[in-house]
């Protein structure tokens, strides 16, 4: 009987390699079909499909070739291994039973393998896989995400989106991330992958429609001053959200920037896009362009050629939509407003922020030290109060630890300083990156830093004063007497945590 393959192919090693190759190819085809037909693709499963499975396929081919080479040498020496192969005679009951068991066992194993492969695919598409299993180094980002408004949105929806081009890009960057994790090559803190983010129109705007942003939004803000009495201070703002479309009229307000009736381009000179010396706006209807340049840092023609000009979109302001690390003052204010940290305790805001801002070397040390810092302060400054308010002090310590656990990750050097939030202007440059009163056009136009450009102050009240109210807008009063410094400086110059 004529054999299909050369004599050298009939040996145990080549046959094992053949079986491994066939199974690997079948698994690859199955996963490829799942990836192709799935509504949402998964870059991490793609790493398994297009990198790991082919490795087993290649290994099988190598075993086939190696076995054939060894068998050929045996044949040349006159000692082939053909006689060592098992012989099957289906007339023998024992052989029939063995073949039957092998046949049905193979079918069962193949079915379980396919089921298991699909389950692996499903799990690799989960948030738990991205944030916990595969990306243990991403614990800070995962924690922030779990406490964000987008906690039910799968990671790949924003980080990948749809389309083959971005799917391939995600696989390439994902492969490097796996390498970085395996060989401890990642940075601390993990840099925000700004250069890999696709335009917000292709991700954010699948749910959020700028053309339907309009009108204004009222916000009530509660603060506590860092004095002995934790003086309460409230503001009531009317935020000029703006937006607009052909039905609601011209675009205006904060979402004037959203490329609806105009386009905004800019040049940033740093990786995190915090230094923006050049801005250009273009009216889509008339085509008129206005260029604003910083009077403090003016780019030369050669410098402009060397820099990337970027079209402004959602992510330039909403740069931490799901991974926000909050400033301690912001969090302590919120916890005090909710009564989780008692405002009755003297200097509680001040000492809590100090306890949070100590540069601890690990989270476990931080949890112990936060309690020590707060207890020692009251034991030394208010020994009687320590006894009377012991329960409230302990509760304040527990809440401070919760704030720390959600916003500080010393092992990865991740906190609010490492990841500035561009919404607002209190703790990072944010709006003032462009609207600092120092970006001017050739005809003298200025990107204003006037508070009323984005919001109107309707009411403000200090704890022991009467509430001030004016529908046309009030003049802002700084809670601490700094004369006119707050008008001449930018908020984050004082509130950025630098000594």
């Amino acid at each position: 009987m004529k054999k299909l393959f050369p004599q050298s192919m009939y040996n145990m090693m080549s046959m094992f390699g053949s079986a491994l190759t066939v199974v690997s190819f079948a698994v690859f085809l199955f996963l490829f079909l799942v990836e192709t037909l799935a509504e949402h693709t998964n870059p991490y499963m793609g790493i398994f499909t297009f990198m790991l499975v082919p490795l087993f396929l290649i290994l099988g081919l190598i075993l086939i070739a190696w076995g054939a080479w060894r068998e050929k040498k045996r044949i040349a020496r006159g000692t082939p291994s053909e006689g060592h192969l098992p012989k099957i005679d289906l007339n023998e009951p024992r052989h029939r039973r063995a073949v039957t068991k092998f046949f049905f066992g193979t079918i069962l194993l193949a079915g379980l393998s396919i089921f298991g492969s699909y389950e692996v695919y499903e799990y690799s598409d989960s948030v738990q896989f991205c944030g916990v299993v595969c990306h243990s180094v991403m614990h800070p980002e995962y924690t922030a995400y779990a406490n964000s408004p987008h906690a039910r949105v799968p990671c790949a929806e924003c980080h990948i989106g749809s389309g083959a081009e971005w799917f391939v890009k995600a696989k390439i960057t994902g492969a490097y991330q796996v390498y970085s994790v395996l060989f401890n090559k990642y940075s601390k803190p993990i840099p925000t992958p700004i250069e890999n983010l696709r335009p917000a129109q292709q991700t954010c705007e699948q749910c959020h429609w700028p053309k339907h942003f309009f009108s204004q939004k009222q916000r009530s803000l509660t603060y506590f001053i860092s004095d002995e009495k934790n003086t309460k201070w409230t503001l009531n703002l009317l935020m000029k959200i703006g937006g607009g479309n052909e039905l609601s009229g011209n675009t205006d307000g904060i979402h004037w920037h959203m490329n609806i009736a105009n386009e905004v381009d800019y040049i940033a000179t740093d990786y995190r896009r915090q230094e923006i010396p050049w801005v250009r706006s273009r009216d889509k209807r008339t085509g008129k362009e206005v260029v604003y340049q910083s009077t403090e840092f003016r780019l030369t023609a050669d410098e402009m050629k060397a820099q990337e000009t970027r079209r402004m979109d959602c992510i330039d302001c909403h740069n931490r939509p799901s991974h926000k690390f909050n400033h301690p003052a912001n969090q302590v204010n919120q916890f005090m407003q909710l009564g989780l940290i008692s405002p009755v305790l003297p200097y509680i805001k001040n000492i809590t922020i100090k306890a949070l801002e100590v540069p601890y070397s690990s989270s476990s040390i931080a949890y112990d030290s936060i309690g020590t810092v707060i207890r020692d302060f009251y034991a030394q400054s208010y020994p009687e109060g320590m006894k009377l308010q012991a329960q409230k002090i302990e509760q304040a310590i527990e809440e401070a630890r919760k704030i720390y656990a959600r916003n500080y990750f010393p092992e990865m050097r991740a906190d609010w300083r490492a990841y500035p939030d561009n919404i607002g202007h209190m703790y990072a440059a944010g709006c003032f990156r462009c609207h600092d009163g120092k970006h001017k056009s050739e005809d003298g136009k200025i990107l204003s830093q006037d508070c009323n450009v984005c919001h109107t102050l309707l009411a403000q009240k200090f704890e022991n004063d009467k509430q001030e109210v004016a529908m046309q807008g009030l003049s802002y009063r700084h809670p601490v007497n700094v004369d006119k410094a707050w008008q001449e400086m930018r908020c984050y110059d004082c509130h950025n945590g630098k000594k």
Side-chain angles (χ1 to χ4, degrees):
M1 180 178 177
K2 187 178 179 180
K3 295 183 178 180
L4 294 175
F5 302 101
Q7 178 65 35
S8 59
M9 297 290 290
Y10 293 90
N11 63 85
M12 291 301 294
M13 183 174 293
S14 294
M15 289 184 175
F16 177 77
S18 300
L20 182 61
T21 300
V22 170
V23 171
S24 299
F25 186 68
V27 171
F28 173 81
L29 284 180
F30 172 73
L31 294 178
F32 178 77
L33 288 174
V34 171
E35 283 272 314
T36 304
L37 300 176
E39 183 178 354
H40 302 292
T41 56
N42 185 326
Y44 305 107
M45 194 60 199
I47 294 171
F48 181 79
T49 304
F50 298 106
M51 293 182 66
L52 296 182
V53 173
L55 286 179
F56 287 97
L57 193 149
I58 293 171
L59 177 60
L61 294 174
I62 291 173
L63 290 176
I64 292 173
W66 189 20
W69 176 74
R70 291 180 62 189
E71 186 65 14
K72 189 174 183 180
K73 290 186 68 175
R74 286 195 185 101
I75 293 172
R77 293 197 305 265
T79 57
S81 62
E82 183 179 5
H84 299 293
L85 295 176
K87 294 181 179 179
I88 300 174
D89 184 358
L90 296 180
N91 292 313
E92 289 286 337
R94 186 165 57 89
H95 287 193
R96 285 200 303 272
R97 287 195 297 270
V99 169
T100 302
K101 290 178 182 178
F102 177 80
F103 178 75
F104 286 105
T106 300
I107 293 176
L108 178 62
L109 180 61
L112 291 175
S113 297
I114 292 173
F115 177 76
S117 298
Y118 186 75
E119 286 298 306
V120 169
Y121 176 87
E122 286 287 303
Y123 182 65
S124 69
D125 201 24
S126 68
V127 172
Q128 289 76 16
F129 176 82
C130 295
V132 179
V133 178
C134 184
H135 287 170
S136 59
V137 298
M138 298 295 284
H139 175 60
E141 301 284 3
Y142 176 69
T143 301
Y145 160 81
N147 289 282
S148 77
H150 294 96
R152 291 189 176 183
V153 181
C155 304
E157 289 287 324
C158 297
H159 286 275
I160 313 300
S162 59
E165 177 187 356
W166 290 92
F167 178 70
V168 173
K169 286 182 179 180
K171 296 205 184 313
I172 295 172
T173 56
Y176 178 74
Q177 290 165 7
V178 171
Y179 160 78
S180 299
V181 172
L182 290 176
F183 295 97
N184 195 26
K185 297 293 184 180
Y186 51 87
S187 303
K188 296 181 181 181
I190 298 292
T192 303
I194 296 176
E195 71 281 1
N196 293 326
L197 295 177
R198 66 190 303 179
Q201 287 78 7
Q202 300 171 20
T203 51
C204 309
E205 292 186 18
Q206 301 306 303
C207 296
H208 303 281
W209 294 5
K211 289 186 178 181
H212 292 274
F213 298 158
F214 62 91
S215 192
Q216 300 174 340
K217 179 180 179 180
Q218 184 180 356
R219 288 197 67 194
S220 296
L221 306 174
T222 299
Y223 301 95
F224 293 87
I225 301 174
S226 296
D227 58 10
E228 183 177 22
K229 295 182 179 180
N230 305 302
T231 303
K232 190 176 181 180
W233 167 47
T234 58
L235 295 176
N236 198 305
L237 299 173
L238 195 62
M239 303 298 298
K240 300 175 182 178
I241 301 299
N245 54 34
E246 63 273 12
L247 298 179
S248 59
N250 294 331
T251 58
D252 57 6
I254 298 169
H255 285 101
W256 177 92
H257 303 83
M258 275 314 303
N259 306 320
I260 299 171
N262 57 83
E263 292 177 346
V264 180
D265 299 300
Y266 70 90
I267 292 176
T269 56
D270 67 316
Y271 174 78
R272 298 196 298 181
R273 299 174 183 167
Q274 296 298 297
E275 301 293 334
I276 302 177
W278 185 92
V279 180
R280 177 180 63 203
S281 67
R282 184 178 75 85
D283 190 316
K284 288 184 177 180
R285 294 162 295 185
T286 64
K288 181 180 179 181
E289 292 186 353
V290 181
V291 174
Y292 300 89
Q293 293 207 54
S294 171
T295 56
E296 292 184 332
F297 178 23
R298 196 174 185 87
L299 294 175
T300 65
D302 291 339
E303 288 173 333
M304 288 188 61
K305 289 180 182 179
Q307 299 289 341
E308 175 192 7
T309 300
R310 175 180 164 81
R311 175 64 46 80
M312 184 178 183
D313 66 10
C314 309
I315 212 69
D316 288 304
C317 292
H318 299 272
N319 66 317
R320 308 299 301 176
S322 299
H323 304 285
K324 184 176 180 178
F325 298 90
N326 293 286
H327 189 281
N330 175 293
Q331 290 287 274
V332 174
N333 278 327
Q334 183 178 357
F335 277 51
M336 291 177 69
Q337 179 191 3
L338 296 172
L340 300 174
I341 296 177
S342 175
V344 172
L345 299 172
Y347 286 113
I348 187 59
K349 180 182 178 182
N350 184 283
I351 192 60
T352 302
I353 293 175
K354 284 185 177 180
L356 292 168
E357 285 287 85
V358 174
Y360 303 109
S361 59
S362 70
S363 297
S364 58
I365 292 175
Y367 299 154
D368 291 336
S369 299
I370 286 170
T372 301
V373 171
I374 295 176
R375 289 191 197 97
D376 286 352
F377 170 77
Y378 286 107
Q380 294 173 15
S381 303
Y382 299 91
E384 292 300 320
M386 178 75 176
K387 299 175 183 177
L388 296 174
Q389 304 288 355
Q391 184 176 352
K392 291 181 180 178
I393 292 172
E394 290 304 316
Q395 181 179 346
I397 290 171
E398 288 306 309
E399 299 302 330
R401 287 170 174 163
K402 291 178 183 178
I403 294 174
Y404 192 91
R406 292 175 184 172
N407 298 284
Y408 292 84
F409 305 87
E411 292 86 355
M412 289 299 298
R413 302 172 192 163
D415 58 23
W416 65 275
R417 288 185 182 82
Y419 301 105
D421 183 9
N422 290 331
I423 289 294
H425 48 74
M426 182 69 77
Y427 308 118
C431 311
F432 288 156
R433 291 175 298 161
C434 301
H435 290 274
D436 57 356
K438 298 176 182 177
H439 283 68
K440 293 185 179 181
S441 65
E442 290 185 355
D443 59 358
K445 290 183 180 179
I446 298 175
L447 290 179
S448 175
Q449 64 174 342
D450 183 1
C451 301
N452 293 314
V453 171
C454 294
H455 48 68
T456 300
L457 179 58
L458 299 178
Q460 61 183 340
K461 182 182 184 301
F462 291 92
E463 190 167 352
N464 299 319
D465 295 344
K466 291 182 179 180
Q467 185 174 36
E468 301 176 65
V469 180
M471 295 305 295
Q472 71 276 15
L474 294 167
S475 296
Y476 173 76
R477 282 200 297 150
H478 197 276
V480 179
N481 185 13
V482 293
D483 199 18
K484 295 183 179 181
W486 68 270
Q487 296 174 317
E488 299 165 357
M489 300 173 63
R490 291 169 288 192
C491 303
Y492 75 97
D493 287 335
C494 288
H495 294 274
N496 62 8
K498 295 180 180 178
K499 302 299 182 182

